[in-house]
Amino acid sequence: MEEFRLEYAEDDDSYDSDDGLIYTWIDASNAADNVYLSLTAEAIKEKVLEFADNAAGELYHMAYAGSPLWKHDDLGEQLDREVYRNRFMINNKRREGLVVEILRRALDDPREISSLMKPPTQPKATEASWARETVLKTPVELVNMFMDSEQWLATFSNIVSDASILGKIADDGNPDSSLIAMKAEFGLPTPNPTKRETYFLRRSRKANEHLWLIVDVSLDITCLKYHRKPSGCLIEQMDDGFSRITWVEHNERSTNAYLNQLFRKHISSGFAFCASRWITTLKHEAENQFIINQHINAHGGGISSLLRLAHRMSQTCISNMNVSTKKNWNLVHSLGSAEPIYLKWDYFQYDLGRPDGHVIMMASSVRSSFTVDHIYDALRCAECRPKWDMAVLRGFARKDLHVPIGNDPSTGVSVLHIEIPGMDNMKCLQACFTDSIGMYIVWTFLHNATVYAMIEGDDPDIVPILVFGAAILPWNPIAVSEGSILTLSFEIRDEYEGSLPIQREEALNLLMTNTISSVNALCAQPPGDDGFRHEDEEYLSLFNNHHK
């Protein structure tokens, strides 16, 4: 993948924006809702389209600019801020004037305009990055995905924690030329607070017969702690029908915004939401669907059913981890744990693909001294699973099947055979994948009969599953040898229906803390050491439903 890495610039004093104005960053989400909801009015549609098309032009030129806009130095490839200011000054001033016109027509009270454009007293930081990659999707498929908030949310579930369309400004049923107002929350796969909320316009345009643009741009009036300068991707159709994607991320955030201590380095460095993370996620999703379609075309059901279930399992688990306004976790300061454990409850009834009844979801993020690669290799090893997975304690596991996804041999879907003394044998469906900053392992337990039925052609979408997962990110994304951050997420049936007796809380605490301890013990053991069985089994009853 061709890639220019990010620039992170933080000013100590109040920041003078590229267009010469200075903006305040305050929490004004209600005002932002009102403004963006008003953009569909016919009286301002022309100005809003002009604003979005101005941003599309800037995105196009940034994507193809190369040096000197994107420069190389000892810190990597970065956006030259001075070149950007000089080259796009007119663009920024034009958008500034359009914002004022749009606000005058959208808002009745001039005082509201004044409050949204107030001079700031707080500094802000700039994040900019560039990446290019080939993706196994046609341009039309990609454009349709970007302009559908549900598809976009599902595709980028490890980055986008919530998304909604506030209004359609230009939409005649043709995705080649549409404009929508959106609200989204971006986050990391952890229950710890890391989310950033943003409002923006999304414009799709077909530039010529073989080139499409998707551009996001915020009206620089929301006074939120984060907004998007022209960002998005150029989608170029290749000779084989697939797409070459050039992605530009260009964002600004308040330096006074809360940064979670555990993930401070990811957010402050800009790596958390850089272009390469978006594009590697899109590439993996496209490769996954491509492999599924290949198996469907060649064999009908069979392996494709397992791959479809693994795909749903992965999206569900990573989406569960990623905190948002609609998916807040309850912090449990439980029993002296070194790191906080988070819980939330859900109830499923007649929900396709989910078990009926109450489910406890629990997750925790902890720092580890082991590298991302070391933990990833240990957890995805089938023979090692009984050494750390509390549901397979004292059991035996072997890999029955592995279907690779993409060129990385560690990425793919596996079926593990599980034997536990005194219990019926079962299967574990496991998916492993990566993005530019982390590695992920997601799994669920299945009855043997369920796996055989899917191979015979049963619909995987109706199989009820509880999902488990691990997300492993480097502690310092610029120096990966400094250790990692491990997030574990479990779903457990809850027969108490939302209440949590102290014995149950103790068992959940033991489940999480003993799993973390077992992972560390596994990673620490020397090569060839058969190691390690955990002796504490108070939490095993939590998994009884998996083995029945």
Side-chain angles (χ1 to χ4, degrees), residues 33-46 48-49 102 105-106 165-171 179-182 201 219:
D33 274 335
N34 293 336
V35 169
Y36 277 84
L37 288 168
S38 72
L39 296 181
T40 57
E42 287 293 330
I44 60 173
K45 184 177 294 187
E46 181 182 343
V48 178
L49 280 165
I102 290 168
R105 299 188 187 191
I165 295 176
L166 299 176
K168 295 182 178 181
I169 300 164
D171 182 18
L179 178 61
I180 55 180
M182 295 190 71
L201 300 170
L219 296 171

Side-chain angles (χ1 to χ4, degrees), residues 19 45 83 105 170 179 220 428 537:
D19 53 27
K45 184 177 294 187
V83 173
R105 299 188 187 191
L179 178 61
D220 296 337
C428 175
E537 299 186 31

Side-chain angles (χ1 to χ4, degrees), residues 65 171 187 296 393 405 420 431 521 523 537 542:
D171 182 18
I296 290 175
L393 196 68
I405 306 291
I420 301 175
C523 291
E537 299 186 31
L542 295 170

